Amino acid sequence: MVSFDKLRASYTRSHRHRMQQAETTSIPLNAPSANESARPISWVHITTELTKARLNALVVLTTAVGFLLACGDAIDWMRLSIAMLGTALAAASAAILNQVIEKRRDGLMLRTRNRPLPAGLVPSSVAFTAGCILGFAGFALLATEINMLTGVLGGANILIYVLLYTPLKPRTTMNTIVGAVCGAIPPLMGWTAVTGRIDPAAWVLAGVLFVWQIPHFLALAWKYREDYARGGHAMLPVFDADGRITSQAALLTTLLLVPLLLSATMFGLTGWWSAAFSFFATLLFAALAVQFARYKDDRTARTLFLASIAWLPLVLLVMVIDRGPVSVGAFLRGRPNDRIFEMNSPPPALESPR
């Protein structure tokens, strides 16, 4: 075990060294490359960058997964579309407001210096106004056309991301945990859009998303640790010079996905095929985490990061395909095909939008 004082001293030395490297770089921090300066900038590009459209597409996907797992075979496609749209508006709002707050730090990082705000393509006041409008629109849509609980979850996600996660990024490595909470809420929103409540199975699904984000982000943060240090962000790999703590945390959280996914079948959320696929897929995921823990280099971190991107949609897809066909109780009673919901009797909350 390493004492806290030794760990803190290592953090300080590592951070000081990386900041000195950043200060002596010969590349102007906010100067675009020749290719970037020659590339025409469209409003479509600016909008997708401000709203983090590619990242938030995954957020919307997890909302859809929560919805489909909750409704069984009785799918209200209009209601699903509204839930996804409301989630997209809320996620876009959080992304924009986050960039308004982090404009200066984004300008210091090579990876983010050409985003619309630090690049001067959009005034901060315009972005802030757009973020607020989108957030209110997302909350209003979910609260009025779905139900109040889903709207509250969407609004809470914006507030947690903007008022907790963003300010914590330069202050503590625990920001990753808070950020993971934000990623765990969208599948709950999909679930509550159907049921109007948060059931135990919904917490299992949210737990999977929460835990998955930790190895996913730690692998990314290790790859860009110098850049995060340049921007003054307190990410664990910035301070963990030898990568021991970072890689061990990634490995342990990856292994934690195994019991979480098996419990999805125990709660009647998914079937046995999903349990088997998730088990073996997670073992492969964990094997890559072992490689990262062994070598602690950029190559194994990048491999783990890419594997995490492939792992999540594959596991979620199989969960949806094999959704809720059995429960353990039904299996023990000799009726393995009992469904969570009767096909002709959707949950009471599953009503057409007004």
Side-chain angles (χ1 to χ4, degrees):
M1 294 294 292
V2 179
S3 69
F4 178 77
D5 290 339
K6 290 182 179 179
L7 184 60
R8 181 172 58 185
S10 174
Y11 284 1
T12 304
R13 288 194 301 271
S14 174
H15 181 68
R16 185 184 300 117
H17 173 67
R18 298 188 193 283
M19 291 305 294
Q20 287 173 349
Q21 284 184 325
E23 291 170 358
T24 57
T25 182
S26 59
I27 304 174
L29 292 180
N30 59 355
S33 67
N35 291 335
E36 290 167 340
S37 60
R39 185 186 306 154
I41 303 297
S42 67
W43 278 104
V44 173
H45 171 77
I46 291 174
T47 301
T48 55
E49 286 294 310
L50 272 178
T51 59
K52 297 183 179 178
R54 287 177 295 180
L55 173 64
N56 285 331
L58 183 61
V59 173
V60 175
L61 171 65
T62 62
T63 299
V65 169
F67 188 101
L68 294 172
L69 288 175
C71 71
D73 294 316
I75 303 173
D76 185 334
W77 294 104
M78 179 59 69
R79 192 177 186 85
L80 172 59
S81 299
I82 294 173
M84 293 173 67
L85 176 59
T87 301
L89 292 172
S93 169
I96 294 173
L97 296 176
N98 164 265
Q99 290 178 73
V100 170
I101 297 172
E102 292 190 336
K103 176 181 177 180
R104 185 185 66 82
R105 294 185 184 277
D106 281 349
L108 297 173
M109 296 175 61
L110 301 178
R111 189 170 65 95
T112 58
R113 64 184 181 180
N114 292 310
R115 285 178 175 174
L117 288 174
L121 300 176
V122 178
S124 296
S125 58
V126 173
F128 177 78
T129 302
C132 292
I133 292 174
L134 289 174
F136 179 78
F139 168 77
L141 180 66
L142 293 171
T144 59
E145 298 299 322
I146 302 297
N147 54 56
M148 182 57 68
L149 176 57
T150 306
V152 169
L153 287 172
N157 211 15
I158 298 173
L159 295 177
I160 293 171
Y161 194 85
V162 175
L163 300 182
L164 285 180
Y165 170 65
T166 301
L168 287 176
K169 285 175 70 176
R171 290 178 171 81
T172 173
T173 58
M174 294 301 292
N175 69 76
T176 302
I177 303 299
V178 179
V181 172
C182 296
I185 291 178
L188 290 180
M189 295 168 62
W191 187 279
T192 60
V194 175
T195 65
R197 62 184 184 272
I198 304 178
D199 299 303
W203 288 115
V204 172
L205 179 60
V208 171
L209 269 294
F210 174 85
V211 173
W212 167 83
Q213 289 175 91
I214 297 175
H216 169 79
F217 182 75
L218 288 179
L220 176 69
W222 176 263
K223 180 181 177 182
Y224 292 107
R225 58 195 182 278
E226 285 85 4
D227 216 14
Y228 279 118
R230 185 178 292 110
H233 292 296
M235 303 304 174
L236 178 58
V238 172
F239 303 122
D240 183 24
D242 61 4
R244 185 177 64 85
I245 300 174
T246 301
S247 60
Q248 288 181 359
L251 175 58
L252 291 175
T253 48
T254 302
L255 291 173
L256 184 57
L257 289 168
V258 174
L260 273 173
L261 287 162
L262 292 178
S263 67
T265 297
M266 299 296 292
F267 277 96
L269 187 63
T270 58
W272 301 112
W273 286 111
S274 176
F277 178 85
S278 299
F279 178 76
F280 288 109
T282 306
L283 288 184
L284 291 175
F285 189 17
L288 296 177
V290 169
Q291 291 294 97
F292 178 42
R294 179 181 178 184
Y295 295 106
K296 306 176 186 65
D297 58 14
D298 290 353
R299 180 185 61 83
T300 53
R302 182 176 184 274
T303 301
L304 179 62
F305 174 72
L306 293 176
S308 70
I309 295 176
W311 181 91
L312 183 64
L314 285 174
V315 168
L316 293 181
L317 175 62
V318 174
M319 290 177 73
V320 169
I321 293 174
D322 194 28
R323 61 186 181 275
V326 299
S327 69
V328 173
F331 183 81
L332 295 177
R333 291 193 302 270
R335 298 198 301 272
N337 291 321
D338 281 3
R339 296 183 180 273
I340 300 176
F341 304 121
E342 293 295 330
M343 292 182 63
N344 297 322
S345 302
L350 187 58
E351 58 186 15
S352 300
R354 292 187 295 275

